[in-house]
Amino acid sequence: MKTALVFIEVKDNQIKKSSLECLTALAGSGWTLHTCGFKETHSCVDELKRWGVQKHFTTDNSDLDKFNPETHLQFVDKALQESGAQLFLASSNSHGRDIFPRLAVRHDAAYMSDVTEIKIEDNVSIARPLYAGKCTARVVFTDDSKKIILLRPNQVMVINPNGSGACEVISLSPQEGAGKNKTISIQDGESEKLDLTEANIIVSGGRGLKEAKNFKLLEDLAAPLNATVGASRAVVDLGWVPHSQQVGQTGKTVAPTLYIAAGISGAIQHLAGMSGSKNIVAINKDDKAPIFQKATYGIVGDLFEVIPVLTEKLQSLK
Ligand code: FAD
């Protein structure tokens, strides 16, 4: 039987939704399921049993809690060797894109990031956008050689598993401090909100907001929706918000259930990062703005009038 290994990430003692999406992609595939994750995953073993995970590779080394590409690489390398998996699945985020291409080189494995569709049957097949979303590549792996696949968050609807078997927990000890990199410190970003790539609802603003201080309007709208605030590159370049909030070709690629674009024209480079959103609401005073061609719902109007009304309505529903 074929074996798949899933990299598990945890936040607040819970398996992250993006990791549950990877587990969902494997549900019902008939493949043997292994997982791996750092020390923080110890608290999630019962949950992994419900997913039918047979082996979980982890570590007691809390050095790995700090990001270090070399020690993290060593850990996933060991996990892959011990598991003997043909397929390694992880979430397509900045951590994954740092670690897994290096792992692919070590294992002479096929590597695909930013995957938006995956089918795991006897063969594995995937789809991923190319050229800023202008076309989609569909790839079928026809042999059993190793594959490392990073799945874009919010592409798979998480199921509720009901497995119950045993899960063997295996502790690995990657060498401490090996290599040339040493992490001195990690500084958290300012926002407590979910990262844009994992957010279910995003409220994004563009140059139509006129001034940096008007982003407060979007934060007020985001609060009752529990949304994360994003931005176009134009306002990032103006220094109104940090680059971590930029959506688009040279920013983050997002696929939330709801994307609200306020005062954003819908340039091709912006659309490249958000057109995979399930529902797009555009607020723009120019009825010819290209964003309306992608929008599920469009509001032609002045955002300074529309947003306060929306915010008030949403607050009253809370
Ligand atoms: P604008 O295009 O100036 O649009 C502002 C919009 O606000 C207009 O449609 C206007 O009608 C509307 N508006 C104005 N006032 C109001 C009001 N009161 N109420 C309602 N609506 C109002 N862009 C990205 O976003 N992400 C990227 O990753 C990215 N990468 C790029 C990479 C390259 C190589 C290049 C060349 C460009 C890239 N861009 C990117 C820039 C992109 O081409 C656009 O310049 C940018 O997206 C425009 O941002 P905007 O929509 O906020 O501004």
Side-chain angles (χ1 to χ4, degrees):
M1 199 189 281
K2 294 179 181 177
T3 301
L5 176 64
V6 176
F7 182 67
I8 300 293
E9 292 173 86
V10 169
K11 191 167 185 203
D12 300 332
N13 291 323
Q14 300 282 329
I15 300 178
K16 278 187 168 186
K17 181 168 165 273
S18 52
S19 298
L20 296 178
E21 289 165 5
C22 293
L23 291 168
T24 300
L26 280 149
S29 65
W31 288 46
T32 299
L33 190 50
H34 293 170
T35 51
C36 65
F38 304 133
K39 196 173 172 193
E40 59 197 3
T41 59
H42 287 195
S43 58
C44 304
V45 174
D46 283 343
E47 169 77 354
L48 293 175
K49 285 180 191 163
R50 296 205 307 118
W51 286 91
V53 173
Q54 295 186 6
K55 288 184 185 177
H56 179 60
F57 299 95
T58 184
T59 177
D60 294 321
N61 185 343
S62 29
D63 258 20
L64 275 89
D65 294 346
K66 274 201 203 147
F67 178 67
N68 180 328
E70 287 182 292
T71 43
H72 282 197
L73 174 61
Q74 269 193 33
F75 173 77
V76 290
D77 189 356
K78 273 202 162 186
L80 183 55
Q81 282 175 38
E82 296 286 322
S83 155
Q86 289 85 33
L87 168 66
F88 200 160
L89 198 56
S91 178
S92 197
N93 53 30
S94 44
H95 179 262
R97 283 192 295 271
D98 195 340
I99 304 301
F100 290 102
R102 305 170 197 236
L103 184 69
V105 171
R106 283 193 179 188
H107 286 260
D108 197 19
Y111 170 78
M112 296 270 161
S113 63
D114 222 15
V115 165
T116 50
E117 285 173 45
I118 183 161
K119 212 184 258 176
I120 303 165
E121 296 168 330
D122 205 25
N123 285 329
V124 176
S125 49
I126 62 107
R128 66 190 294 260
L130 295 178
Y131 304 113
K134 290 195 189 68
C135 63
T136 301
R138 295 192 179 276
V139 180
V140 181
F141 297 94
T142 51
D143 66 16
D144 278 343
S145 55
K146 278 201 180 73
K147 299 161 256 307
I148 297 175
I149 294 179
L150 305 192
L151 185 61
R152 198 189 266 185
N154 289 330
Q155 300 297 318
V156 174
M157 183 92 78
V158 174
I159 58 162
N160 190 11
N162 55 6
S164 58
C167 174
E168 186 185 354
V169 177
I170 299 158
S171 191
L172 306 175
S173 38
Q175 251 181 304
E176 288 172 36
K180 294 175 183 148
N181 290 326
K182 188 167 167 51
T183 304
I184 308 297
S185 71
I186 305 261
Q187 197 172 342
D188 284 338
E190 278 169 27
S191 176
E192 302 258 300
K193 292 276 180 194
L194 263 186
D195 187 79
L196 277 174
T197 55
E198 290 172 33
N200 198 33
I201 303 181
I202 294 173
V203 177
S204 260
R207 199 151 30 194
L209 278 158
K210 312 269 187 259
E211 288 183 71
K213 68 173 177 13
N214 294 333
F215 257 80
K216 171 84 172 60
L217 275 177
L218 296 192
E219 281 153 22
D220 292 346
L221 175 61
L225 290 168
N226 201 17
T228 302
V229 175
S232 71
R233 172 162 164 180
V235 301
V236 171
D237 287 352
L238 285 165
W240 295 358
V241 292
H243 181 260
S244 57
Q245 281 179 248
Q246 184 182 317
V247 173
Q249 188 182 326
T250 43
K252 288 184 175 158
T253 303
V254 300
T257 305
L258 175 61
Y259 188 89
I260 302 177
I264 293 179
S265 58
I268 183 85
Q269 297 90 354
H270 188 79
L271 299 179
M274 48 62 80
S275 55
S277 307
K278 317 277 177 307
N279 297 285
I280 297 170
V281 174
I283 306 168
N284 199 302
K285 66 178 187 185
D286 174 8
D287 65 355
K288 308 239 165 11
I291 190 78
F292 286 124
Q293 285 167 24
K294 286 280 169 194
T296 327
Y297 301 98
I299 302 174
V300 180
D302 186 336
L303 68 88
F304 294 100
E305 289 167 17
V306 175
I307 292 181
V309 175
L310 277 180
T311 305
E312 202 184 312
K313 191 78 193 157
L314 288 163
Q315 280 168 342
S316 72
L317 294 175
K318 274 240 133 185

